[in-house]
Amino acid sequence: MVKNYIPQFLFILICLPLVFYAQEVKIFTLKDFDLKDSVKTCLVSTSYGKEEYDFNRKGVLTKSVTRYNEADYDVVYYKYQNDELIEKRSESYRNNIFDPSTSIAHFYKLDTLNNVKITEKIVSYEEEFLDQYVYHYDEKGDMVKIIRTNNDGIDETLIEYKKYKGEYTVTYLINNEPLKSIRTSQLKKKNGTVQKVVLTKEYLKGEANKAFEEVFNEKGLLVAQQEFEYNIAEKTFVPTKRTIYTYDDNDMLVGEASKNGDEVMKKEYVYQYDREGEGNWIKQIVRPENTYKTRKITYYVPEVMEKE
């Protein structure tokens, strides 16, 4: 019951450091994992272990497993009702034994009596109350307030929206102190294309801390990112690391070049696909490190064939 009411760009606020400890409230789909077509399962082998993902026929994530070794792993189950997320359970296993002390469950309840309100309750498997978040929306469907309640007390986060000369800014204030601001604008290039520019500023105890600016092309692909550190003496943000991203004709990331002071780093991404030049990639090689990631993918059999 989250999918239809939380705007996509607002999901990040659930993960803000030091303040929000709830996991990101989002319905994950194949697109979030760089997958397409009728994928049923995806097994990813990485340097730290393995990740497993299960999807339903609609391409929605229903289960994820992170395996650190054969005996230690974490499992997350997603439960839906009418295509809306109503429950998420995170279970930990160590030495192949379920650990209820580090396993938690999230429950979501929707209230549409007046303006939309969503309540998220987080409890441990030992039935200990951990957190409760209540997300309030206005008549336009924009989130305007979050009330967090736990054993330490109550925190209130307000979300303000402002439009000014083509710029759209969303600001988060916790107990009236700035926490984060996201300003979105458009940049028209000489060739006529329009890019989206997103500047995010983060605050620590109400004081400016760091920032980063992202530039997206007309396809929504991230093409550049500039990072900033806040200079207290000069009271301004100072640019640090800048990264440029390049893509191939299939919109796959193939190059990454970053510069931080005199330090320059470049990466090249090479892919192998389960179908020649298309389909889903099953091996990604990163040069010059020559590290790699592999994926084993299974697909749903078309329902027509199943009936036959």
Side-chain angles (χ1 to χ4, degrees):
M1 58 182 55
V2 174
K3 177 180 177 183
N4 299 328
Y5 297 97
I6 298 183
Q8 192 78 10
F9 69 92
L10 287 178
F11 289 138
I12 56 173
L13 68 90
I14 310 303
C15 300
L16 295 178
L18 304 178
V19 179
F20 297 107
Y21 298 94
Q23 299 253 337
E24 188 173 350
V25 181
K26 178 180 179 180
I27 291 182
F28 292 99
T29 66
L30 293 173
K31 186 177 180 180
D32 294 296
F33 299 89
D34 195 17
L35 292 165
K36 57 184 178 180
D37 301 329
S38 54
V39 172
K40 183 177 183 180
T41 64
C42 179
L43 172 61
V44 184
S45 296
T46 67
S47 59
Y48 62 82
K50 295 181 178 180
E51 299 171 351
E52 304 170 22
Y53 304 105
D54 292 4
F55 302 89
N56 62 21
R57 282 191 174 274
K58 295 181 179 180
V60 175
L61 181 68
T62 58
K63 177 184 174 183
S64 65
V65 183
T66 300
R67 295 187 180 275
Y68 309 103
N69 52 56
E70 290 300 320
D72 301 327
Y73 53 96
D74 295 324
V75 185
V76 182
Y77 297 95
Y78 300 86
K79 184 178 180 180
Y80 305 93
Q81 188 176 76
N82 299 324
D83 296 329
E84 296 172 344
L85 180 64
I86 60 171
E87 185 178 316
K88 181 175 68 173
R89 291 182 175 269
S90 303
E91 300 181 352
S92 297
Y93 294 81
R94 298 297 179 263
N95 295 320
N96 285 320
I97 299 175
F98 173 63
D99 184 2
S101 66
T102 58
S103 299
I104 60 176
H106 302 245
F107 301 97
Y108 305 95
K109 182 179 179 181
L110 173 66
D111 181 356
T112 58
L113 183 60
N114 294 307
N115 291 335
V116 171
K117 180 174 70 175
I118 297 175
T119 300
E120 176 186 14
K121 186 177 181 180
I122 307 172
V123 297
S124 73
Y125 270 53
E126 295 179 330
E127 298 185 356
E128 177 189 2
F129 170 77
L130 301 176
D131 264 312
Q132 177 175 285
Y133 295 85
V134 181
Y135 309 98
H136 296 262
Y137 299 81
D138 62 16
E139 63 278 359
K140 295 183 294 184
D142 289 329
M143 188 186 298
V144 292
K145 183 170 62 175
I146 305 170
I147 304 295
R148 178 193 181 191
T149 306
N150 58 24
N151 294 330
D152 295 326
I154 299 175
D155 287 319
E156 180 180 76
T157 298
L158 299 178
I159 302 112
E160 297 179 348
Y161 302 84
K162 291 183 180 179
K163 288 184 178 180
Y164 180 72
K165 292 185 177 180
E167 296 180 344
Y168 185 70
T169 303
V170 183
T171 303
Y172 307 94
L173 302 101
I174 183 167
N175 300 329
N176 293 319
E177 285 191 346
L179 181 68
K180 191 170 204 165
S181 69
I182 303 173
R183 187 188 71 193
T184 302
S185 59
Q186 291 187 335
L187 175 64
K188 190 171 183 179
K189 299 180 68 67
K190 293 181 179 179
N191 60 7
T193 60
V194 178
Q195 293 182 329
K196 182 175 71 172
V197 181
V198 181
L199 175 63
T200 302
K201 295 181 181 180
E202 297 180 357
Y203 300 82
L204 184 61
K205 295 181 179 180
E207 299 294 331
N209 184 33
K210 57 184 178 180
F212 57 93
E213 183 182 73
E214 298 169 300
V215 180
F216 299 87
N217 65 14
E218 65 280 2
K219 294 182 178 180
L221 299 173
L222 178 65
V223 294
Q225 178 173 289
Q226 176 68 62
E227 299 178 24
F228 300 87
E229 292 289 343
Y230 190 73
N231 187 307
I232 299 178
E234 298 181 5
K235 296 183 178 181
T236 186
F237 284 101
V238 178
T240 54
K241 182 180 178 181
R242 181 171 180 79
T243 306
I244 303 296
Y245 303 93
T246 54
Y247 302 83
D248 63 15
D249 293 337
N250 295 318
D251 297 334
M252 294 296 295
L253 177 67
V254 293
E256 181 179 328
S258 61
K259 184 177 181 181
N260 191 356
D262 295 330
E263 182 182 8
V264 178
M265 295 181 61
K266 292 185 178 182
K267 290 183 180 181
E268 178 186 3
Y269 297 85
V270 181
Y271 303 91
Q272 294 179 8
Y273 296 85
D274 54 5
R275 294 193 296 271
E276 289 187 14
E278 56 182 38
N280 289 296
W281 65 264
I282 54 176
K283 187 173 185 179
Q284 180 195 69
I285 304 171
V286 183
R287 297 172 178 168
E289 297 94 335
N290 285 326
T291 57
Y292 65 90
K293 181 187 295 185
T294 61
R295 305 196 301 187
K296 184 178 180 181
I297 299 171
T298 64
Y299 294 86
Y300 278 103
V301 176
E303 291 181 321
V304 175
M305 295 181 62
E306 284 185 345
K307 292 178 181 179
E308 294 176 353

